[in-house]
Amino acid sequence: MFKAMRIHNFRTFRSLRVERIEKVNLITGKNGAGKTAFLEALFLNAGATNTNICIALQNFRGSSAFAPSDDSIFRNLFHHLSVAHPIELIAEWESREARSRTNRTLSIEPLTATAPKVMQSATTELVTGLRFSFRGAGVKGSSKIQWTDVPALTTSTLEPPGHARMLPELPVRTLPSTRGEIALPHYSNFERPAVQGSLFTDQPRMKRLNAESPPSTATVNAIFVLARYYSISAQLHQQLVDALKQKTIEKILSVARIVDDRVVNIVPLSEGGISEIYIDIGEPRLIPLPLMGAGFFNALNIAAATLSVSGGVALIDEIEDGIHYLAFPALARALLRIISETNTQVFVTTHSDEMIEAFAEAAESLKFSNIAALHFKRSQPGSGERGSDAAGDGIIRVRRFAVDDIRAAREVNLELR
């Protein structure tokens, strides 16, 4: 279980330290305070040497197509987009079995190359990949994700069995997963060679994005849960099938019924090689999941994902999205019961006062003490606060509230959202 986290040079964080992390953590703060970035840092650390996760993070933020000439897939991970310093993600981890604490350290370094600017004599530094170095839990390892040249531009290379001919400037498209298990096409796209004057001097070269994900005993069973992320429906389908096999589907149904009390059953089917999820609401025909609405999908996804990482870590972004506030108390109680039964650690981002209050009340009624609110706040630029970033965008600090403090803060109208 994560107990503390130090982050350096990652996303919006130049430097951040979070202490006294609990089993359930409500991540609050204004837009741009770093709530989602904090979940991403935890996800990367949990993956150890799994470089696929950096692709997954881009997918989560809406990017699924990448080209060798655009290094944003890698550069976007670094603070202020500067690759002058490596990313350091250092977690204090408590083993449930041994009740001992160790450090999990992930360092991410850029792999760079000099690239010509088209039609100009100048060159620019291009980030062509990343090197992951991990140590902790008695394990040391490293891996890389990088664009590389396909050795020869031959007909057999261009046309793998069952694949159509690749066209110039066609970017890689990835198939999303919230488990860091990304399907990368074997071939990506052509890269134009160096330019002399205004003429190309060579044939285009095909590039391949190689992502290493070596097996590691240091990997933590973690999942990233996003509201309205319909493109992971195949993954949700498998989670529901697993719940049926393990006879835990009733726990998921109980959460689904909080949002829509008409639900009789959840039916994951596979027809013609296509996986679909249907909902039985007592009508003559089953209802396809997308027709049940965004809030229903979000609740179903949260419950299934949390159950799927029993004993691991669930990272839930914008838990309240699409769900009516009157359902929050019952949803919080149901999730705390699942978390207690599965021994899963959960991090939840929220902008909702009602959701914070719902979790505080549920924790009190269920005598669940391992819960805290972590409020992220960015200082105002030019405030003179010690440690401000050189760029003047302020620093981010985290204030922790235990469950009793959450109720007290609400009574004096202290802003936690």
Side-chain angles (χ1 to χ4, degrees):
M1 185 168 75
F2 287 107
K3 300 300 291 184
M5 189 72 179
R6 284 179 285 160
I7 303 172
H8 301 287
N9 200 40
F10 176 71
R11 294 286 204 205
T12 193
F13 305 121
R14 188 189 68 173
S15 183
L16 180 78
R17 186 180 182 95
V18 182
E19 303 280 359
R20 298 167 64 196
I21 295 174
E22 294 287 357
K23 178 173 283 187
V24 175
N25 303 273
L26 308 176
I27 315 298
T28 68
K30 293 181 179 179
N31 292 333
K35 301 183 299 298
T36 299
F38 180 64
L39 298 190
E40 292 176 330
L42 293 167
F43 197 39
L44 278 164
N45 186 280
T49 53
N50 182 1
T51 62
N52 281 321
I53 290 179
C54 70
I55 307 292
L57 299 186
Q58 288 292 98
N59 287 168
F60 300 163
R61 290 181 180 259
S63 298
S64 60
F66 314 107
S69 58
D70 178 11
D71 65 1
S72 61
I73 178 179
F74 307 124
R75 191 178 289 274
N76 286 355
L77 296 176
F78 291 80
H79 182 57
H80 287 163
L81 308 183
S82 171
V83 296
H85 303 285
I87 294 168
E88 295 281 346
L89 306 174
I90 306 167
E92 185 178 315
W93 179 262
E94 181 179 88
S95 169
R96 291 187 174 94
E97 297 78 18
R99 286 291 175 186
S100 60
R101 294 191 182 185
T102 58
N103 281 345
R104 298 172 51 88
T105 301
L106 175 63
S107 177
I108 302 176
E109 300 173 284
L111 302 172
T112 60
T114 300
K117 290 185 178 179
V118 177
M119 308 305 291
Q120 297 180 23
S121 58
T123 60
T124 184
E125 183 181 59
L126 192 69
V127 182
T128 61
L130 300 172
R131 177 181 285 109
F132 282 40
S133 301
F134 179 87
R135 65 181 184 277
V139 174
K140 289 180 67 176
S142 64
S143 59
K144 291 189 300 183
I145 178 170
Q146 189 173 25
W147 290 106
T148 58
D149 289 328
V150 173
L153 196 64
T154 65
T155 302
S156 59
T157 301
L158 287 173
E159 297 179 348
H163 288 66
R165 180 181 293 273
M166 303 292 283
L167 298 175
E169 305 304 326
L170 181 67
V172 155
R173 291 192 178 275
T174 58
L175 305 179
S177 165
T178 56
R179 299 296 295 270
E181 302 160 350
I182 304 300
L184 287 173
H186 190 62
Y187 297 95
S188 54
N189 76 321
F190 290 104
E191 180 189 59
R192 289 292 183 182
V195 177
Q196 292 184 356
S198 61
L199 299 175
F200 288 105
T201 60
D202 198 358
Q203 294 296 314
R205 293 172 298 174
M206 181 173 271
K207 288 282 188 178
R208 172 167 45 198
L209 184 58
N210 290 324
E212 298 174 356
S213 179
S216 174
T217 57
T219 301
V220 173
N221 188 17
I223 191 166
F224 207 109
V225 185
L226 298 103
R228 308 190 189 209
Y229 200 55
Y230 291 105
S231 53
I232 52 88
S233 57
Q235 178 179 288
L236 176 58
H237 182 277
Q238 186 58 55
Q239 291 167 354
L240 294 172
V241 170
D242 291 341
L244 283 168
K245 292 177 181 177
Q246 297 160 10
K247 295 185 177 181
T248 57
I249 194 69
E250 191 58 41
K251 292 182 174 67
I252 299 175
L253 279 167
S254 67
V255 173
R257 288 168 182 147
I258 292 169
V259 180
D260 193 325
D261 59 10
R262 299 173 299 168
V263 174
V264 176
N265 203 1
I266 300 169
V267 187
L269 297 176
S270 293
E271 301 174 287
I274 299 174
S275 297
E276 297 284 358
I277 301 168
Y278 294 91
I279 311 300
D280 183 354
I281 59 172
E283 298 290 337
R285 296 179 66 88
L286 299 176
I287 308 299
L289 174 59
L291 299 185
M292 295 296 293
F296 185 88
F297 177 89
N298 193 24
L300 185 66
N301 190 26
I302 289 168
T306 304
L307 275 171
S308 75
V309 289
S310 178
V313 178
L315 307 163
I316 304 171
D317 200 25
E318 298 186 12
I319 185 172
E320 73 275 9
D321 192 39
I323 301 174
H324 194 274
Y325 76 96
L326 291 179
F328 291 174
L331 178 63
R333 286 193 298 272
L335 288 177
L336 287 184
R337 289 192 183 99
I338 291 174
I339 290 163
S340 296
E341 293 170 8
T342 60
N343 200 23
T344 299
Q345 186 177 28
V346 174
F347 295 81
V348 170
T349 70
T350 181
H351 287 283
S352 169
D353 242 355
E354 293 90 351
M355 183 62 78
I356 297 167
E357 181 74 11
F359 268 99
E361 291 181 352
E364 185 176 8
S365 66
L366 297 174
K367 302 187 185 313
F368 189 100
S369 60
N370 299 326
I371 182 171
L374 303 174
H375 183 65
F376 284 59
K377 183 178 180 180
R378 182 187 295 278
S379 65
Q380 292 297 319
S383 64
E385 214 175 319
R386 185 179 173 185
S388 293
D389 286 338
D393 60 355
I395 60 172
I396 296 171
R397 297 196 186 281
V398 177
R399 184 175 179 183
R400 181 186 183 278
F401 296 85
V403 64
D404 293 335
D405 299 330
I406 295 172
R407 301 300 303 278
R410 298 303 310 122
E411 290 171 5
V412 298
N413 296 320
L414 181 63
E415 183 63 65
L416 291 184
R417 289 176 293 179

